[in-house]
Amino acid sequence: MSKYATTEITSAEIPSDNPVHQRLYFPYVEAAKIIHGNVLELGCGWGRGVETLIKKCDHYTGLDKNQPLIDQLQAAYPKHTFSTADLPHLSAFKDNTFDYVVTFQVIEHIQDDHKFLAEIARVLKPNGRVLLTTVNRPYSLSRNPWHVREYDTQELRSLMQKYFSKVETMGVGGNKKVWDYYEENKQSVNKIMRFDIFDLQHRLPAWMLRAPYEFLNRFNRNKLMAETGSLAASIDVTDFHVSNEPEKCIDFFFVATK
């Protein structure tokens, strides 16, 4: 299913995507330790963590905008429910429906983030919880034209506190291998960005940047794979951990209770 991969739909099969794939898969491993009952995933993509979640819940519902991916997932997991959706709207679901909502690397793509969180809170049962990840803006290496916005720790905490009674602020931490790769990536991106002498990444509209961003991002990942070799290939989900210092992490991992 990951054959649909772009750098925004990171593949589990492309070797140069491995460090990012492992980082994105880690929250599913953690979610599987927590979830039970009736679970909704917003933005299930090609199904990176679907099987991991399904093993731990009574019923799983996955939503995404990509119809071919949804069709493949429904065929692969016929006992569960997959459907396309126009997020942030969840009008197909009644209030107090789900025990858990999982949404990983999605909120940064949503224009109306307030509506997104309000809808999550609405469909959660009393004391239900949402598990949410998104990038930590200070650790972004360039503008991502696929993102509507990115957050720092306080911005995301304050936003989520408007809709949930309790917000646990954590991050996806990594060991030395993870941070060595991040530093290699940072240096490589900085070399590319030296050519943006007019700061076009921040001046041009997002739609104009998406094709060059995709090309350069894929070029950079392949370049890092060639240069770091065993480092990029060796990073595994076990190289990540939940950190209580989200401001020092590449990604946030927030758990909020209705």
Side-chain angles (χ1 to χ4, degrees):
M1 295 177 191
S2 53
K3 67 183 181 181
Y4 286 89
T6 68
T7 57
E8 276 300 292
I9 308 177
T10 303
S11 175
E13 299 167 1
I14 299 174
S16 62
D17 280 2
N18 180 64
V20 181
H21 165 66
Q22 299 295 339
R23 192 183 97 225
L24 299 183
Y25 180 61
F26 172 77
Y28 287 100
V29 175
E30 290 302 305
K33 300 175 183 178
I34 301 170
I35 64 168
H36 57 78
N38 195 10
V39 175
L40 170 67
E41 182 175 8
L42 305 178
C44 59
W46 57 263
R48 186 189 317 278
V50 168
E51 187 169 356
T52 301
L53 298 183
I54 280 176
K55 291 176 181 178
K56 298 295 182 177
C57 62
D58 296 329
H59 188 79
Y60 169 95
T61 300
L63 303 183
D64 201 88
K65 64 181 180 181
N66 191 310
Q67 186 69 61
L69 295 181
I70 287 295
D71 291 343
Q72 287 191 24
L73 288 167
Q74 188 64 78
Y77 303 99
K79 294 182 180 179
H80 298 272
T81 303
F82 295 87
S83 181
T84 54
D86 180 23
L87 299 177
H89 306 288
L90 299 176
S91 55
F93 304 106
K94 297 180 179 179
D95 297 359
N96 308 316
T97 298
F98 297 98
D99 298 288
Y100 287 86
V101 172
V102 172
T103 181
F104 295 151
Q105 308 299 115
V106 174
I107 193 172
E108 66 270 18
H109 298 274
I110 304 298
Q111 188 69 45
D112 190 345
D113 51 355
H114 284 269
K115 176 69 171 179
F116 185 65
L117 294 175
E119 280 288 86
I120 290 173
R122 180 183 66 79
V123 302
L124 277 172
K125 296 177 182 178
N127 296 314
R129 292 198 284 178
V130 57
L131 284 63
L132 181 150
T133 69
T134 188
V135 294
N136 180 7
R137 187 177 66 229
Y139 283 86
S140 290
L141 301 179
S142 68
R143 179 188 177 188
N144 186 326
W146 298 101
H147 293 178
V148 175
R149 79 190 62 75
E150 296 176 356
Y151 309 86
D152 64 27
T153 307
Q154 186 54 48
E155 288 168 344
L156 185 58
R157 179 190 292 118
S158 297
L159 176 64
M160 295 186 70
Q161 285 174 338
K162 296 179 185 296
Y163 301 96
F164 300 94
S165 64
K166 179 182 178 183
V167 179
E168 300 172 67
T169 58
M170 299 171 288
V172 178
N175 62 14
K176 185 177 184 300
K177 284 197 298 182
V178 170
W179 285 108
D180 283 349
Y181 182 84
Y182 176 83
E183 288 301 323
E184 293 285 346
N185 190 21
K186 182 177 180 179
Q187 292 178 29
S188 184
V189 170
N190 286 343
K191 288 178 182 178
I192 294 172
M193 298 314 298
R194 286 184 305 174
F195 294 99
D196 186 17
I197 58 176
F198 298 111
D199 195 29
L200 296 179
Q201 66 165 320
H202 295 114
R203 294 173 180 268
L204 294 177
W207 67 267
M208 292 184 67
L209 295 168
R210 287 171 182 163
Y213 174 87
E214 181 65 29
F215 172 80
L216 289 170
N217 205 8
R218 178 60 63 199
F219 169 82
N220 187 55
R221 289 187 187 180
N222 291 338
K223 176 174 176 287
L224 284 169
M225 186 71 192
E227 292 177 351
T228 67
S230 60
L231 174 61
S234 69
I235 292 174
D236 183 76
V237 69
T238 59
D239 292 314
F240 298 89
H241 62 270
V242 174
S243 170
N244 290 320
E245 297 181 295
E247 65 281 354
K248 297 180 181 179
C249 296
I250 301 171
D251 292 332
F252 297 124
F253 185 88
F254 280 24
V255 179
T257 304
K258 181 172 177 177

